[in-house]
Amino acid sequence: MGEKRLITFSISKHRFAAPIDEIREVVSADAVMPVPGARRPLLGLLPYRGHTVLPVFSLLDLLGDRSGESGNLVIVAASPGGPVGFRVRQMGGVMMLSAGEQEVVPYEGDLGAGTGAVTALLKRTGGEYIILDIGKLFTS
Amino acid sequence: MADRIVIVRVGAYLLSLPFAQIDEILGPDRAVTGSGVPEEVLSRDPSATRWISSRRRWLPVGKILPGQESGDAAQIVVVRGGGTGRAFMVDQVLGIESAGAISPFPDAARPYTDIPFAGVRFWKDRPVLELDLSGLISLDRGNRRIG
C-alpha cells in the first residue's frame, strides 16, 4: 500500500481526517431543510445537484457524542446507500499519509465505540486527528 | 412526467400529498365532536376527539405530525390509502399543482424519523417532502390502538 491523502476538518473540539476518496465535496449548510419529526443524528435534508436531496447528519452524534455542535459547512461523503452530509465547523486541509507511518497510533478514546468508524489517531505537529472510515457509519 | 400534488402547510413545514389519493378538502367547520356522531362510530375509535362525515362514512380526524396543534386547523384533507380512508388536519392548503418526478427519501435518513415520507418533490425550486399516505393512515390507526 502506498500513500493515502486525507482531508481534515474540525467539529466542536475534535479534529478529524478522512480518506479523500470518501469525500465528494464541501458545500454551504445554509439550505439544510429540517425534517418534521426527525431525531438526531439526522439534522435535515440538503438539495443536492438538481432535483435530489441528501441527508445531513451530526457526525458527533453518530459517533456517540451527544454534546451537539453546529457549523456552516457540510461535507458530502460517499456511503453505501448514497451520498450523505455531515455538518462541520471548519475545514482543515489535505494531508498525505504514508504506509507504516509512525505517527499513526491506535485511537483509545470513546468516540465511535462499536461502530468501527474510527480507525486510528494521527499525531502530527500542531495536533491530533481522528481518522475515520465514513462508510462504516452506515453499515452497522 | 408531471404528477399532480396538493401542497399543504402544517406548522412550519410544507408537505405534498399525491392528488390521486385525495378524496376531499373540507373546511374545519365540517368536523364535529362527540355529539352528532353515531354511537357505533364513537365506540369503534374511542380515542378520536373529532370526526368528519365524508361520502356517507364517518372518519376520525387525525394529526399528520407529532405535536401538531389541533385547535385551529384551517382545513381538513380526506385521503385514502391501503383500502381505507382517513382525515387529517392541516393549517393551510397552498394549491393543487403539477410537479416533477418524485425523488426517493434517502434510505440513510429513514431510521431517524417515524413519519412515512414517500420522497421529495421540488416545488417552485424548493424541496417539499411528500407523505406516504398509506403509511400515514396505517401509523394513525396504530397510534389510536396504542392510545
Side-chain angles (χ1 to χ4, degrees):
Chain A
M1 192 178 73
E3 294 178 322
K4 185 189 281 186
R5 283 192 299 166
L6 303 174
I7 194 163
T8 65
F9 53 91
S10 59
I11 308 173
S12 185
K13 63 185 179 186
H14 304 286
R15 280 190 274 201
F16 295 94
I20 204 163
D21 54 5
E22 291 187 3
I23 306 296
R24 291 189 174 190
E25 55 189 314
V26 182
V27 297
S28 166
D30 288 348
V32 173
M33 172 184 80
V35 175
R39 299 182 293 275
R40 292 178 75 95
L42 180 63
L43 300 178
L45 300 177
L46 181 66
Y48 184 63
R49 292 193 177 181
H51 287 180
T52 64
V53 293
L54 60 84
V56 176
F57 292 97
S58 160
L59 180 60
L60 290 189
D61 267 60
L62 283 168
L63 294 172
D65 180 343
R66 308 279 187 255
S67 62
E69 78 287 340
S70 61
N72 293 324
L73 296 172
V74 172
I75 284 185
V76 181
S79 85
V84 295
F86 300 103
R87 203 154 182 161
V88 304
R89 178 169 58 85
Q90 192 171 13
M91 290 305 301
V94 176
M95 293 192 306
M96 193 70 80
L97 182 66
S98 302
E101 192 161 336
Q102 299 296 306
E103 297 160 315
V104 177
V105 299
Y107 174 72
E108 295 177 346
D110 294 331
L111 279 183
T115 65
V118 174
T119 60
L121 189 68
L122 173 63
K123 293 188 171 184
R124 284 274 167 92
T125 305
E128 297 181 344
Y129 298 86
I130 298 165
I131 301 179
L132 294 173
D133 178 346
I134 288 173
K136 292 270 175 60
L137 289 169
F138 296 96
T139 53
S140 55
Chain B
M1 194 181 77
D3 297 323
R4 278 200 294 174
I5 55 171
V6 178
I7 305 285
V8 301
R9 181 178 64 78
V10 179
Y13 300 103
L14 292 185
L15 302 167
S16 69
L17 314 173
F19 182 72
Q21 286 180 262
I22 305 290
D23 269 351
E24 295 188 285
I25 300 173
L26 304 170
D29 53 321
R30 291 283 301 274
V32 295
T33 52
S35 60
V37 181
E39 194 60 41
E40 69 270 19
V41 174
L42 291 174
S43 61
R44 197 169 62 212
D45 200 341
S47 64
T49 56
R50 291 210 273 183
W51 297 81
I52 196 163
S53 175
S54 168
R55 298 170 65 198
R56 289 179 290 174
R57 66 201 165 150
W58 285 95
L59 300 172
V61 180
K63 299 177 185 178
I64 289 177
L65 301 181
Q68 179 183 344
E69 296 292 331
S70 59
D72 300 316
Q75 281 174 297
I76 294 169
V77 181
V78 181
V79 304
R80 61 175 178 274
T84 186
R86 222 66 177 176
F88 293 100
M89 296 178 286
V90 301
D91 293 319
Q92 190 178 6
V93 176
L94 296 171
I96 301 170
E97 306 207 10
S98 294
I102 191 167
S103 297
F105 191 77
D107 285 345
R110 286 201 186 277
Y112 306 108
T113 177
D114 295 326
I115 298 170
F117 294 112
V120 181
R121 304 258 190 194
F122 278 76
W123 178 67
K124 295 180 179 175
D125 285 334
R126 62 188 292 186
V128 177
L129 285 160
E130 182 150 315
L131 291 162
D132 167 5
L133 290 180
S134 298
L136 189 67
I137 290 169
S138 174
L139 184 70
D140 187 57
R141 294 166 78 189
N143 285 345
R144 288 180 191 284
R145 264 185 229 114
I146 293 166

